[in-house]
Amino acid sequence: MKASYTKPLLPLRDIVIFPSMVVPLFVGREKSIKALQEVMKSDKSIVLVTQKNSEVDDPGSKDLFQYGWLSKVLRLLKLPDDTVKVLDEGEKRIKILDHNKEDSKFLTCNVEIIEDQNISKDLDTFALSLIKKYEKLLI
């Protein structure tokens, strides 16, 4: 059985984060800002999940996709208009097991880390072959 973790959750509108991708996000929702303040007190990791409909202002579990990213907050900057600019780096793909409802200050969820299963040494050989063919086409 895989280990599960309880982490604060930050719903995203119209953006998907991938591993090793560093993205600046502008956060204005009160629950999201409180979630970011909480992660800055601990290990700076937060779950990023894209909303199904970007027009929903207070998303619940039915409004969020089931898969997302465990992300590390690199920098947090409070702006004069009471929003927050945060620099995040996607680390690992996660699956949301369930959403916690007992803490109303911000969204939290139980997640498990999903390991990549399609990694193969054969792909390196194919990639090198494609690169060589592409280089021949350029000449």
Side-chain angles (χ1 to χ4, degrees), residues 2 6 8 11 28 40 45 47-49 63 65 72 74 77 83-84 86 93 104 108 111-112 124 127 129 139:
K2 293 183 179 180
T6 301
M40 293 307 284
S45 65
V47 173
L48 301 178
V49 179
D63 301 314
F65 285 102
K72 186 71 79 175
L74 302 176
L77 178 65
T83 60
V84 173
V86 61
R93 189 165 45 125
S104 62
T108 59
V111 300
E112 71 178 7
D124 292 338
S129 173
I139 296 176

PDB file of all heavy atoms in Angstrom, residues 2 6 8 11 28 40 45 47-49 63 65 72 74 77 83-84 86 93 104 108 111-112 124 127 129 139:
ATOM      1  N   LYS A   2       0.501   2.220  -0.808  1.00  0.00           N
ATOM      2  CA  LYS A   2       1.266   3.452  -0.900  1.00  0.00           C
ATOM      3  C   LYS A   2       0.947   4.356   0.278  1.00  0.00           C
ATOM      4  O   LYS A   2      -0.141   4.343   0.824  1.00  0.00           O
ATOM      5  CB  LYS A   2       0.934   4.173  -2.203  1.00  0.00           C
ATOM      6  CG  LYS A   2       1.398   3.431  -3.426  1.00  0.00           C
ATOM      7  CD  LYS A   2       1.109   4.242  -4.653  1.00  0.00           C
ATOM      8  CE  LYS A   2       1.598   3.512  -5.879  1.00  0.00           C
ATOM      9  NZ  LYS A   2       1.351   4.262  -7.091  1.00  0.00           N
ATOM     10  N   THR A   6      -1.385  14.305   3.928  1.00  0.00           N
ATOM     11  CA  THR A   6      -2.367  15.381   3.972  1.00  0.00           C
ATOM     12  C   THR A   6      -1.639  16.686   3.702  1.00  0.00           C
ATOM     13  O   THR A   6      -0.697  17.032   4.400  1.00  0.00           O
ATOM     14  CB  THR A   6      -3.066  15.438   5.343  1.00  0.00           C
ATOM     15  OG1 THR A   6      -3.707  14.178   5.573  1.00  0.00           O
ATOM     16  CG2 THR A   6      -4.106  16.543   5.387  1.00  0.00           C
ATOM     17  N   PRO A   8      -2.058  20.962   2.099  1.00  0.00           N
ATOM     18  CA  PRO A   8      -2.913  22.059   1.648  1.00  0.00           C
ATOM     19  C   PRO A   8      -3.049  22.020   0.125  1.00  0.00           C
ATOM     20  O   PRO A   8      -2.151  21.568  -0.581  1.00  0.00           O
ATOM     21  CB  PRO A   8      -2.164  23.310   2.093  1.00  0.00           C
ATOM     22  CG  PRO A   8      -1.277  22.850   3.192  1.00  0.00           C
ATOM     23  CD  PRO A   8      -0.906  21.442   2.854  1.00  0.00           C
ATOM     24  N   PRO A  11      -6.235  25.418  -5.759  1.00  0.00           N
ATOM     25  CA  PRO A  11      -6.884  25.228  -7.060  1.00  0.00           C
ATOM     26  C   PRO A  11      -6.353  26.235  -8.074  1.00  0.00           C
ATOM     27  O   PRO A  11      -6.156  27.405  -7.741  1.00  0.00           O
ATOM     28  CB  PRO A  11      -8.363  25.472  -6.777  1.00  0.00           C
ATOM     29  CG  PRO A  11      -8.500  25.741  -5.334  1.00  0.00           C
ATOM     30  CD  PRO A  11      -7.140  25.931  -4.755  1.00  0.00           C
ATOM     31  N   GLY A  28      -5.438  35.257  -5.461  1.00  0.00           N
ATOM     32  CA  GLY A  28      -6.258  36.291  -4.860  1.00  0.00           C
ATOM     33  C   GLY A  28      -7.345  35.777  -3.931  1.00  0.00           C
ATOM     34  O   GLY A  28      -7.877  36.525  -3.124  1.00  0.00           O
ATOM     35  N   MET A  40       4.143  27.977   4.117  1.00  0.00           N
ATOM     36  CA  MET A  40       5.388  28.709   4.357  1.00  0.00           C
ATOM     37  C   MET A  40       5.900  28.479   5.778  1.00  0.00           C
ATOM     38  O   MET A  40       7.083  28.649   6.050  1.00  0.00           O
ATOM     39  CB  MET A  40       5.201  30.205   4.093  1.00  0.00           C
ATOM     40  CG  MET A  40       4.940  30.544   2.638  1.00  0.00           C
ATOM     41  SD  MET A  40       6.146  29.877   1.483  1.00  0.00           S
ATOM     42  CE  MET A  40       7.505  30.996   1.761  1.00  0.00           C
ATOM     43  N   SER A  45       5.588  22.691   0.772  1.00  0.00           N
ATOM     44  CA  SER A  45       5.001  21.891  -0.308  1.00  0.00           C
ATOM     45  C   SER A  45       3.490  22.015  -0.267  1.00  0.00           C
ATOM     46  O   SER A  45       2.873  22.042   0.795  1.00  0.00           O
ATOM     47  CB  SER A  45       5.439  20.433  -0.207  1.00  0.00           C
ATOM     48  OG  SER A  45       4.942  19.843   0.965  1.00  0.00           O
ATOM     49  N   VAL A  47      -0.254  21.145  -2.823  1.00  0.00           N
ATOM     50  CA  VAL A  47      -0.836  20.410  -3.946  1.00  0.00           C
ATOM     51  C   VAL A  47      -1.467  21.419  -4.902  1.00  0.00           C
ATOM     52  O   VAL A  47      -2.269  22.259  -4.487  1.00  0.00           O
ATOM     53  CB  VAL A  47      -1.896  19.406  -3.450  1.00  0.00           C
ATOM     54  CG1 VAL A  47      -2.621  18.775  -4.619  1.00  0.00           C
ATOM     55  CG2 VAL A  47      -1.244  18.340  -2.588  1.00  0.00           C
ATOM     56  N   LEU A  48      -1.098  21.348  -6.173  1.00  0.00           N
ATOM     57  CA  LEU A  48      -1.676  22.195  -7.213  1.00  0.00           C
ATOM     58  C   LEU A  48      -2.575  21.335  -8.088  1.00  0.00           C
ATOM     59  O   LEU A  48      -2.133  20.320  -8.624  1.00  0.00           O
ATOM     60  CB  LEU A  48      -0.579  22.817  -8.073  1.00  0.00           C
ATOM     61  CG  LEU A  48       0.454  23.680  -7.361  1.00  0.00           C
ATOM     62  CD1 LEU A  48       1.491  24.172  -8.352  1.00  0.00           C
ATOM     63  CD2 LEU A  48      -0.198  24.836  -6.648  1.00  0.00           C
ATOM     64  N   VAL A  49      -3.837  21.737  -8.209  1.00  0.00           N
ATOM     65  CA  VAL A  49      -4.805  20.990  -9.005  1.00  0.00           C
ATOM     66  C   VAL A  49      -5.594  21.975  -9.854  1.00  0.00           C
ATOM     67  O   VAL A  49      -6.028  23.022  -9.366  1.00  0.00           O
ATOM     68  CB  VAL A  49      -5.778  20.190  -8.113  1.00  0.00           C
ATOM     69  CG1 VAL A  49      -6.794  19.444  -8.949  1.00  0.00           C
ATOM     70  CG2 VAL A  49      -5.030  19.237  -7.228  1.00  0.00           C
ATOM     71  N   ASP A  63     -15.403  20.100  -8.315  1.00  0.00           N
ATOM     72  CA  ASP A  63     -14.945  21.106  -9.273  1.00  0.00           C
ATOM     73  C   ASP A  63     -13.476  20.963  -9.638  1.00  0.00           C
ATOM     74  O   ASP A  63     -12.974  21.721 -10.467  1.00  0.00           O
ATOM     75  CB  ASP A  63     -15.161  22.511  -8.696  1.00  0.00           C
ATOM     76  CG  ASP A  63     -16.613  22.779  -8.369  1.00  0.00           C
ATOM     77  OD1 ASP A  63     -17.476  22.471  -9.212  1.00  0.00           O
ATOM     78  OD2 ASP A  63     -16.882  23.280  -7.257  1.00  0.00           O
ATOM     79  N   PHE A  65      -9.966  18.458 -10.686  1.00  0.00           N
ATOM     80  CA  PHE A  65      -9.533  17.194 -11.263  1.00  0.00           C
ATOM     81  C   PHE A  65      -8.946  16.307 -10.167  1.00  0.00           C
ATOM     82  O   PHE A  65      -8.536  16.789  -9.112  1.00  0.00           O
ATOM     83  CB  PHE A  65      -8.508  17.423 -12.380  1.00  0.00           C
ATOM     84  CG  PHE A  65      -9.139  17.940 -13.636  1.00  0.00           C
ATOM     85  CD1 PHE A  65      -9.048  19.289 -13.962  1.00  0.00           C
ATOM     86  CD2 PHE A  65      -9.827  17.099 -14.485  1.00  0.00           C
ATOM     87  CE1 PHE A  65      -9.630  19.782 -15.108  1.00  0.00           C
ATOM     88  CE2 PHE A  65     -10.415  17.580 -15.648  1.00  0.00           C
ATOM     89  CZ  PHE A  65     -10.319  18.919 -15.958  1.00  0.00           C
ATOM     90  N   LYS A  72       6.606  22.734  -4.801  1.00  0.00           N
ATOM     91  CA  LYS A  72       7.390  23.430  -3.789  1.00  0.00           C
ATOM     92  C   LYS A  72       7.286  24.932  -4.047  1.00  0.00           C
ATOM     93  O   LYS A  72       7.507  25.390  -5.164  1.00  0.00           O
ATOM     94  CB  LYS A  72       8.850  22.983  -3.866  1.00  0.00           C
ATOM     95  CG  LYS A  72       9.739  23.519  -2.791  1.00  0.00           C
ATOM     96  CD  LYS A  72       9.470  22.911  -1.435  1.00  0.00           C
ATOM     97  CE  LYS A  72      10.077  21.558  -1.302  1.00  0.00           C
ATOM     98  NZ  LYS A  72       9.961  20.976   0.009  1.00  0.00           N
ATOM     99  N   LEU A  74       8.775  28.330  -4.046  1.00  0.00           N
ATOM    100  CA  LEU A  74      10.136  28.867  -4.071  1.00  0.00           C
ATOM    101  C   LEU A  74      10.190  30.284  -3.511  1.00  0.00           C
ATOM    102  O   LEU A  74      11.151  30.649  -2.831  1.00  0.00           O
ATOM    103  CB  LEU A  74      10.683  28.857  -5.495  1.00  0.00           C
ATOM    104  CG  LEU A  74      10.735  27.492  -6.182  1.00  0.00           C
ATOM    105  CD1 LEU A  74      11.199  27.648  -7.617  1.00  0.00           C
ATOM    106  CD2 LEU A  74      11.630  26.542  -5.415  1.00  0.00           C
ATOM    107  N   LEU A  77       5.449  36.554  -2.517  1.00  0.00           N
ATOM    108  CA  LEU A  77       5.517  38.006  -2.456  1.00  0.00           C
ATOM    109  C   LEU A  77       4.106  38.563  -2.310  1.00  0.00           C
ATOM    110  O   LEU A  77       3.241  38.297  -3.145  1.00  0.00           O
ATOM    111  CB  LEU A  77       6.166  38.561  -3.730  1.00  0.00           C
ATOM    112  CG  LEU A  77       6.272  40.066  -3.869  1.00  0.00           C
ATOM    113  CD1 LEU A  77       7.194  40.645  -2.803  1.00  0.00           C
ATOM    114  CD2 LEU A  77       6.756  40.439  -5.246  1.00  0.00           C
ATOM    115  N   THR A  83      -3.255  40.698  -3.059  1.00  0.00           N
ATOM    116  CA  THR A  83      -3.041  39.411  -3.714  1.00  0.00           C
ATOM    117  C   THR A  83      -1.614  38.968  -3.417  1.00  0.00           C
ATOM    118  O   THR A  83      -0.815  39.710  -2.848  1.00  0.00           O
ATOM    119  CB  THR A  83      -3.268  39.498  -5.236  1.00  0.00           C
ATOM    120  OG1 THR A  83      -2.349  40.437  -5.789  1.00  0.00           O
ATOM    121  CG2 THR A  83      -4.698  39.896  -5.563  1.00  0.00           C
ATOM    122  N   VAL A  84      -1.308  37.747  -3.829  1.00  0.00           N
ATOM    123  CA  VAL A  84       0.008  37.176  -3.570  1.00  0.00           C
ATOM    124  C   VAL A  84       0.571  36.645  -4.880  1.00  0.00           C
ATOM    125  O   VAL A  84      -0.134  35.998  -5.655  1.00  0.00           O
ATOM    126  CB  VAL A  84      -0.099  36.024  -2.532  1.00  0.00           C
ATOM    127  CG1 VAL A  84       1.217  35.310  -2.370  1.00  0.00           C
ATOM    128  CG2 VAL A  84      -0.583  36.556  -1.197  1.00  0.00           C
ATOM    129  N   VAL A  86       3.257  34.048  -6.220  1.00  0.00           N
ATOM    130  CA  VAL A  86       4.007  32.905  -5.705  1.00  0.00           C
ATOM    131  C   VAL A  86       4.734  32.226  -6.864  1.00  0.00           C
ATOM    132  O   VAL A  86       4.208  32.126  -7.963  1.00  0.00           O
ATOM    133  CB  VAL A  86       3.065  31.923  -4.952  1.00  0.00           C
ATOM    134  CG1 VAL A  86       1.997  31.366  -5.854  1.00  0.00           C
ATOM    135  CG2 VAL A  86       3.830  30.803  -4.295  1.00  0.00           C
ATOM    136  N   ARG A  93       3.912  13.989  -9.453  1.00  0.00           N
ATOM    137  CA  ARG A  93       2.506  13.812  -9.792  1.00  0.00           C
ATOM    138  C   ARG A  93       1.806  13.121  -8.626  1.00  0.00           C
ATOM    139  O   ARG A  93       2.349  12.205  -8.018  1.00  0.00           O
ATOM    140  CB  ARG A  93       2.397  12.972 -11.059  1.00  0.00           C
ATOM    141  CG  ARG A  93       1.020  12.904 -11.624  1.00  0.00           C
ATOM    142  CD  ARG A  93       1.023  12.380 -13.038  1.00  0.00           C
ATOM    143  NE  ARG A  93       1.866  11.226 -13.203  1.00  0.00           N
ATOM    144  CZ  ARG A  93       1.455  10.061 -13.700  1.00  0.00           C
ATOM    145  NH1 ARG A  93       0.224   9.911 -14.073  1.00  0.00           N
ATOM    146  NH2 ARG A  93       2.291   9.059 -13.822  1.00  0.00           N
ATOM    147  N   SER A 104     -11.966  24.743   7.588  1.00  0.00           N
ATOM    148  CA  SER A 104     -12.618  25.645   6.638  1.00  0.00           C
ATOM    149  C   SER A 104     -11.754  26.849   6.269  1.00  0.00           C
ATOM    150  O   SER A 104     -12.141  27.637   5.435  1.00  0.00           O
ATOM    151  CB  SER A 104     -13.951  26.126   7.213  1.00  0.00           C
ATOM    152  OG  SER A 104     -13.723  26.848   8.402  1.00  0.00           O
ATOM    153  N   THR A 108      -7.695  21.321   2.065  1.00  0.00           N
ATOM    154  CA  THR A 108      -6.665  20.309   2.249  1.00  0.00           C
ATOM    155  C   THR A 108      -7.159  19.015   1.609  1.00  0.00           C
ATOM    156  O   THR A 108      -8.355  18.842   1.363  1.00  0.00           O
ATOM    157  CB  THR A 108      -6.350  20.055   3.743  1.00  0.00           C
ATOM    158  OG1 THR A 108      -7.540  19.625   4.394  1.00  0.00           O
ATOM    159  CG2 THR A 108      -5.802  21.290   4.412  1.00  0.00           C
ATOM    160  N   VAL A 111      -3.380  12.785  -0.335  1.00  0.00           N
ATOM    161  CA  VAL A 111      -2.840  12.444  -1.652  1.00  0.00           C
ATOM    162  C   VAL A 111      -1.872  11.278  -1.544  1.00  0.00           C
ATOM    163  O   VAL A 111      -1.335  11.000  -0.474  1.00  0.00           O
ATOM    164  CB  VAL A 111      -2.107  13.644  -2.301  1.00  0.00           C
ATOM    165  CG1 VAL A 111      -3.034  14.811  -2.496  1.00  0.00           C
ATOM    166  CG2 VAL A 111      -0.896  14.058  -1.492  1.00  0.00           C
ATOM    167  N   GLU A 112      -1.688  10.609  -2.675  1.00  0.00           N
ATOM    168  CA  GLU A 112      -0.614   9.631  -2.782  1.00  0.00           C
ATOM    169  C   GLU A 112       0.218   9.986  -4.003  1.00  0.00           C
ATOM    170  O   GLU A 112      -0.309  10.474  -4.999  1.00  0.00           O
ATOM    171  CB  GLU A 112      -1.134   8.196  -2.850  1.00  0.00           C
ATOM    172  CG  GLU A 112      -1.824   7.827  -4.128  1.00  0.00           C
ATOM    173  CD  GLU A 112      -2.292   6.374  -4.169  1.00  0.00           C
ATOM    174  OE1 GLU A 112      -2.194   5.671  -3.158  1.00  0.00           O
ATOM    175  OE2 GLU A 112      -2.764   5.963  -5.228  1.00  0.00           O
ATOM    176  N   ASP A 124      15.450   6.033 -24.999  1.00  0.00           N
ATOM    177  CA  ASP A 124      16.662   6.797 -25.285  1.00  0.00           C
ATOM    178  C   ASP A 124      17.208   6.450 -26.664  1.00  0.00           C
ATOM    179  O   ASP A 124      17.626   7.322 -27.427  1.00  0.00           O
ATOM    180  CB  ASP A 124      17.724   6.535 -24.218  1.00  0.00           C
ATOM    181  CG  ASP A 124      17.355   7.101 -22.864  1.00  0.00           C
ATOM    182  OD1 ASP A 124      16.516   8.027 -22.818  1.00  0.00           O
ATOM    183  OD2 ASP A 124      17.907   6.618 -21.857  1.00  0.00           O
ATOM    184  N   ALA A 127      14.959   8.009 -29.282  1.00  0.00           N
ATOM    185  CA  ALA A 127      15.142   9.458 -29.313  1.00  0.00           C
ATOM    186  C   ALA A 127      16.418   9.826 -30.063  1.00  0.00           C
ATOM    187  O   ALA A 127      16.418  10.747 -30.890  1.00  0.00           O
ATOM    188  CB  ALA A 127      15.162  10.015 -27.891  1.00  0.00           C
ATOM    189  N   SER A 129      17.919   8.080 -32.353  1.00  0.00           N
ATOM    190  CA  SER A 129      17.682   7.760 -33.760  1.00  0.00           C
ATOM    191  C   SER A 129      16.893   8.875 -34.441  1.00  0.00           C
ATOM    192  O   SER A 129      17.222   9.284 -35.563  1.00  0.00           O
ATOM    193  CB  SER A 129      16.937   6.431 -33.858  1.00  0.00           C
ATOM    194  OG  SER A 129      16.564   6.170 -35.183  1.00  0.00           O
ATOM    195  N   ILE A 139      20.377  19.119 -43.233  1.00  0.00           N
ATOM    196  CA  ILE A 139      21.550  19.356 -44.089  1.00  0.00           C
ATOM    197  C   ILE A 139      21.190  19.316 -45.542  1.00  0.00           C
ATOM    198  O   ILE A 139      20.352  18.992 -46.136  1.00  0.00           O
ATOM    199  CB  ILE A 139      22.644  18.291 -43.821  1.00  0.00           C
ATOM    200  CG1 ILE A 139      23.119  18.457 -42.390  1.00  0.00           C
ATOM    201  CG2 ILE A 139      23.797  18.448 -44.777  1.00  0.00           C
ATOM    202  CD1 ILE A 139      24.120  17.438 -41.948  1.00  0.00           C
TER     203      ILE A 139
END
